[in-house]
């Protein structure tokens, strides 16, 4: 028996939520407002959590979204959120670009946009980068050289980034890659956040979403 991954669980949840909302909308003649859609999805999530409809891997996500919907109403934009999740995870699943090749393509594209890219430096202690405010992406030499084999990422790769994370996430997605969300606490480069790439995009929590595209 194959164990369900987080990616499978979150995609199943997102697709089910969109399907439920569309099925409900088809039963009403009038177009629903964003507030009504958010209210419906919030109730649907509450019921899904109560009945344990989905994997416990996504229970924390459901709890967070329910809390946001109750406090923000339509501002939580649950339909947009689920649509973005479904699209991103399916796009990554369907990508034919090898992850290692995709990473190299990403670095080239960022360099063309005047980002400072560093992959030839050993990083084993906290460092400070003087780049005069230039956007930058740094990967430790050891990880860049040893965690990619035959153009495939075989071990997690930490990217230390200072710059527009939504741009990086969007460009990475074009290459079939999902980034973890940024983490200030684990970074080894001052004024940067850590973003992780994992083999087969298998993260244990929600990836960095390109919500601006929806």
């Amino acid at each position: 028996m194959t164990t369900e991954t987080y990616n499978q669980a979150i995609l199943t949840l997102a697709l089910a939520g969109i399907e439920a909302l569309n099925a409900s909308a088809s039963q009403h003649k009038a177009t629903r407002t964003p507030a009504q859609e958010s209210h419906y999805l919030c109730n649907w999530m509450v019921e899904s959590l109560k009945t344990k409809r989905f994997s416990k891997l996504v229970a924390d996500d459901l709890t967070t979204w329910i809390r946001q919907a109750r406090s923000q109403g339509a501002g939580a934009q649950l339909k947009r959120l689920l649509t973005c999740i479904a699209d991103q995870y399916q796009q990554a699943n369907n990508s034919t670009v090898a992850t290692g090749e995709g990473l190299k393509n990403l670095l080239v594209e960022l360099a063309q946009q005047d980002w400072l890219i560093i992959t030839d430096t050993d990083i084993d202690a906290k460092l400070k980068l003087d780049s005069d405010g230039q956007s930058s992406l740094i990967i430790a030499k050891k990880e860049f050289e040893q965690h990619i084999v035959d153009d495939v990422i075989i071990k997690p790769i930490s990217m230390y980034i200072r710059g527009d994370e939504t741009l990086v996430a969007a460009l990475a997605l074009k290459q079939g890659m999902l980034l973890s969300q940024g983490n200030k606490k684990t970074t080894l480069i001052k004024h940067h956040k850590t973003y992780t790439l994992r083999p087969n995009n298998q993260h244990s929590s929600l990836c960095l979403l390109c919500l601006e595209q929806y």
Side-chain angles (χ1 to χ4, degrees), residues 6 61 64-65 81 85 89 159 161 165 169 178-186 193-198 203-209 211:
Y6 175 83
D61 294 300
T64 298
W65 298 336
L81 174 71
I85 290 171
Y89 279 84
M159 301 191 299
I161 296 174
E165 66 176 19
L178 300 174
L179 270 65
S180 73
Q181 298 191 41
N183 190 328
K184 286 184 178 179
K185 295 180 180 178
T186 60
K193 289 183 184 179
T194 307
Y195 298 80
T196 307
L197 293 171
R198 294 189 177 276
H203 297 278
S204 59
S205 58
L206 191 62
C207 72
L208 181 60
L209 298 175
L211 285 168

Side-chain angles (χ1 to χ4, degrees), residues 26-46:
S26 67
Q27 298 172 10
H28 296 79
K29 292 182 180 179
T31 302
R32 282 181 167 177
T33 65
Q36 290 171 325
E37 289 181 333
S38 182
H39 180 70
Y40 174 84
L41 282 173
C42 181
N43 288 340
W44 178 85
M45 289 180 177
V46 169

Side-chain angles (χ1 to χ4, degrees), residues 62-157:
L62 280 171
T63 301
T64 298
W65 298 336
I66 291 166
R67 187 186 309 120
Q68 290 174 345
R70 285 173 170 168
S71 63
Q72 301 174 25
Q77 297 186 299
L78 295 181
K79 180 181 178 181
R80 175 194 186 202
L81 174 71
L82 295 182
T83 301
C84 179
I85 290 171
D87 285 357
Q88 277 194 226
Y89 279 84
Q90 288 180 114
Q91 186 172 336
N93 287 346
N94 296 331
S95 175
T96 58
V97 181
T99 48
E101 179 187 355
L103 172 56
K104 292 169 185 175
N105 293 341
L106 168 65
L107 299 183
V108 169
E109 192 153 0
L110 288 173
Q112 290 173 346
Q113 297 193 34
D114 201 31
W115 278 56
L116 176 63
I117 306 297
I118 299 175
T119 59
D120 58 359
T121 302
D122 293 321
I123 301 172
D124 48 22
K126 289 214 170 187
L127 302 173
K128 182 180 179 182
L129 175 68
D130 292 321
S131 60
D132 295 324
Q134 182 182 11
S135 296
S136 50
L137 187 155
I138 302 155
I139 300 174
K141 178 181 178 181
K142 179 180 177 181
E143 290 190 5
F144 191 68
E145 292 180 350
Q146 298 180 16
H147 292 195
I148 301 173
V149 175
D150 295 332
D151 276 336
V152 175
I153 295 174
I154 61 167
K155 292 182 179 180
I157 292 178

Side-chain angles (χ1 to χ4, degrees), residues 106 109-110 113 115 135 163-174 179 208 210 212-213:
L106 168 65
E109 192 153 0
L110 288 173
Q113 297 193 34
W115 278 56
S135 296
D164 184 355
E165 66 176 19
T166 58
L167 169 66
V168 180
L171 293 178
L173 186 60
K174 280 173 56 180
L179 270 65
L208 181 60
C210 304
E212 297 73 19
Q213 299 179 10

